[in-house]
Structures are given as structure tokens and as C-alpha cells.
Amino acid sequence: MKVGRFEIEQLSEGIFEIFEDGIIQKTDASAITAKKQRSGIRSSSIPIGINPILIKDGKHNILLDTGLGWGLDHNSKYINTSNLLTNLDIFGLTPDDITHVVLTHLHFDHSAGSTFVDQRTSTQPTMPYANYFIQKKEWYFALEQNQIKKEIPGAGYNLDELYKLAAEDKLVMITDACFELFPGIELIRTGGHTPGHQIVKIQDSGETAYFLGDLIPSEHHLNHYAMRQHDIDPVESKKAKTLILRQALKEKALLLFYHSIHAKAGTLDQDKDKKFILRELN
């Protein structure tokens, strides 16, 4: 995909089931279809995709969210697993080539691939030459949640492996609601899902894209608000979602979904009832 000078690639780690207690299991499309065909049985899990984004412009290689990171640790039990390492290799890159990492928020399904444990059982940054850009509000909220051990439905915070990034000054704490990473890449704090949740706006040569994090996790959330149990501030989240979708429709922007299984990107249209329709890319 192209947005002006930017090349955009989706680094899919596959399809997973996420359970109410936060446990995540790998699955596939056939297993999800089989579950749907069982009538009268309430599922305790939700199928999701895990789709970090790679942006390239010839000078910079930017990662948006880092996925689960399964298989990155030395002697990991997850073998033959799609992760940042295997996906970057497809595009002729290694983690050393990444110049910037943006984390929409710090829930572990978005950030666990930020570090790995090496053969000496020492935690290391997965992208050793990149800084990791997060909202300051997000870091301190995550620390607070870890201390009080509050149960959050779905994927919550697990900061154990992220403290190394803070210790090595790899975390760039953003305090601005809108922050220009460099020309064409803007980070926008939306709050809602978490106090420091941010999305990414990509713009060049009159073209625009939005990476939506968990503000709008998939195409199924365009017209339906199903995140009330998962959002810290549902009112703020719904307000931000409404504003972004209106702007994206006006700009004919490309939308990039982190948790979609099928329609991972597309542009918006509206039907006769003013409901949003996603036009998938050919």
C-alpha cells in the first residue's frame, strides 16, 4: 500500500483467540468457522488478528505496535511462529533496521514484541537502534494498574519486559495531544480505551491513512460499539471514534485495523442510512 512517499506493509502474526481472563491462544480461520456453526453455545473467547504495521519512506523504517512477539525469546516454545523477526525478513529488513517504534498503548497484545529474552536470560530491546514512542499518561497508568493488580477484561498490562526499555532510556514519553514524529507522521492521543491511547495519522502528497489501534480494532467496530467492557472511558472513546471516522470519510483516508482477521485495510463510504461501509483494497 502507498500513501504518498510512504510504503505501508501489514505484518500479520496470525489469528488468535483471546479469553476473558487474558489468555491468548493461536487458532485459524477453520476453527473459528466451526465455533460459529455450533448453535446455542456461548463462546468465552473472541477471535482477533494481530497486525502490526511497517512504514517505509527510504530514510525511516517505522513500526506501529509490536505484536505478541511469540517465538522471539531464546528457547521459546513457540516455533515456526510468525513474529516481527520473520515478517521483517519478508521485506529484507531486520530489527536493527527499524528507526522508530510507536506503541498505541501498552496492553501486551500490542507491545509484547518490543523486547525479548536472550540466551543469557537478559531482556533486550527487539529493535536495538529505535526509540519507542508512547504517551506519558499511558506509562504511568500502566504502572498504577500493575501495582493494584486490577483485572481488565481481555489483554491487560504486563510491564515486566518493558522496564528494560525505560532503564535504557528507550522510551520517549509524549505529553502533547498531537505530536509530529517527523513530517508526514503524526501521533494523536485519543484516550478512551486507555488514558494514553494514541493513533497514528500518515499523510503525504494529498493522501492520508490512519492506524487506529484499539480505538477501532477491526472493521466490525465501524458502526457498532462493542468495547464498553474494555474501554477505561467509553464516552471519550466514542467521541474520538466519531470524530476520526468523520474526518477519515472526508479525507477519503485509508484505515488500517490492528485486530481484523479479514478486512485489514480499506477506505470509507456510507450507505443510504449513513452507516459506514468499508471499501477493501483490490
Side-chain angles (χ1 to χ4, degrees):
M1 295 174 282
K2 292 275 288 184
V3 173
R5 73 182 189 278
F6 298 110
E7 289 185 43
I8 300 175
E9 307 289 354
Q10 288 173 313
L11 308 181
S12 177
E13 295 189 356
I15 304 171
F16 300 81
E17 285 184 284
I18 184 166
F19 293 82
E20 292 174 357
D21 60 3
I23 291 174
I24 293 181
Q25 294 180 354
K26 191 81 180 276
T27 187
D28 56 39
S30 61
I32 292 170
T33 302
K35 268 196 171 184
K36 286 182 179 178
Q37 291 173 346
R38 297 179 202 153
S39 59
I41 301 176
R42 182 184 178 275
S43 175
S44 62
S45 66
I46 300 171
I48 59 171
I50 300 287
N51 306 300
I53 294 291
L54 169 67
I55 304 173
K56 304 181 292 180
D57 71 351
K59 293 181 179 179
H60 311 95
N61 297 309
I62 309 105
L63 275 181
L64 310 183
D65 285 345
T66 59
L68 288 168
W70 285 12
L72 293 177
D73 292 345
H74 182 66
N75 286 336
S76 171
K77 65 180 180 179
Y78 302 110
I79 58 174
N80 300 320
T81 300
S82 178
N83 56 38
L84 286 179
L85 197 62
T86 61
N87 287 327
L88 288 173
D89 184 61
I90 294 170
F91 301 103
L93 298 174
T94 72
D96 290 6
D97 297 313
I98 300 302
T99 58
H100 304 73
V101 176
V102 177
L103 298 174
T104 58
H105 60 301
L106 294 176
H107 285 168
F108 72 85
D109 58 323
H110 290 254
S111 64
S114 298
T115 62
F116 71 99
V117 177
D118 66 16
Q119 64 271 23
R120 301 184 305 277
T121 67
S122 175
T123 299
Q124 301 295 337
T126 306
M127 280 59 67
Y129 302 116
N131 283 328
Y132 293 66
F133 292 79
I134 64 172
Q135 289 284 331
K136 187 175 183 178
K137 277 188 175 183
E138 181 67 9
W139 178 251
Y140 285 102
F141 180 75
L143 291 177
E144 178 186 288
Q145 297 302 297
N146 262 22
Q147 289 171 358
I148 65 178
K149 306 294 182 185
K150 183 177 179 180
E151 293 293 327
I152 300 173
Y157 293 106
N158 184 355
L159 300 184
D160 289 351
E161 307 301 336
L162 296 183
Y163 292 126
K164 181 64 175 284
L165 297 179
E168 294 190 355
D169 292 326
K170 290 285 187 181
L171 295 179
V172 178
M173 306 283 189
I174 301 167
T175 57
D176 298 331
C178 295
F179 176 83
E180 186 180 68
L181 192 65
F182 53 80
I185 304 289
E186 183 180 16
L187 314 186
I188 303 169
R189 187 172 69 233
T190 64
H193 182 60
T194 65
H197 184 279
Q198 60 186 352
I199 63 173
V200 183
K201 183 175 185 178
I202 306 143
Q203 196 166 44
D204 188 60
S205 302
E207 298 178 332
T208 304
Y210 290 94
F211 178 62
L212 300 162
D214 272 353
L215 178 67
I216 309 172
S218 76
E219 76 278 17
H220 300 300
H221 295 79
L222 289 173
N223 298 295
H224 177 55
Y225 180 58
M227 296 291 288
R228 182 171 297 277
Q229 278 188 306
H230 304 277
D231 289 345
I232 296 297
D233 188 336
V235 173
E236 186 176 39
S237 190
K238 288 178 73 174
K239 180 180 177 182
K241 173 183 171 179
T242 300
L243 291 172
I244 291 298
L245 287 177
R246 286 177 181 170
Q247 187 66 20
L249 179 67
K250 180 180 177 181
E251 295 171 328
K252 297 181 172 57
L254 176 68
L255 300 184
L256 304 165
F257 300 107
Y258 185 78
H259 282 310
S260 282
I261 294 172
H262 302 296
K264 298 173 185 176
T267 57
L268 285 181
D269 204 345
Q270 285 184 310
D271 63 16
K272 60 182 178 61
D273 299 316
K274 299 297 183 181
K275 295 288 187 182
F276 290 111
I277 301 168
L278 188 72
R279 303 292 185 191
E280 293 184 59
L281 302 182
N282 296 324

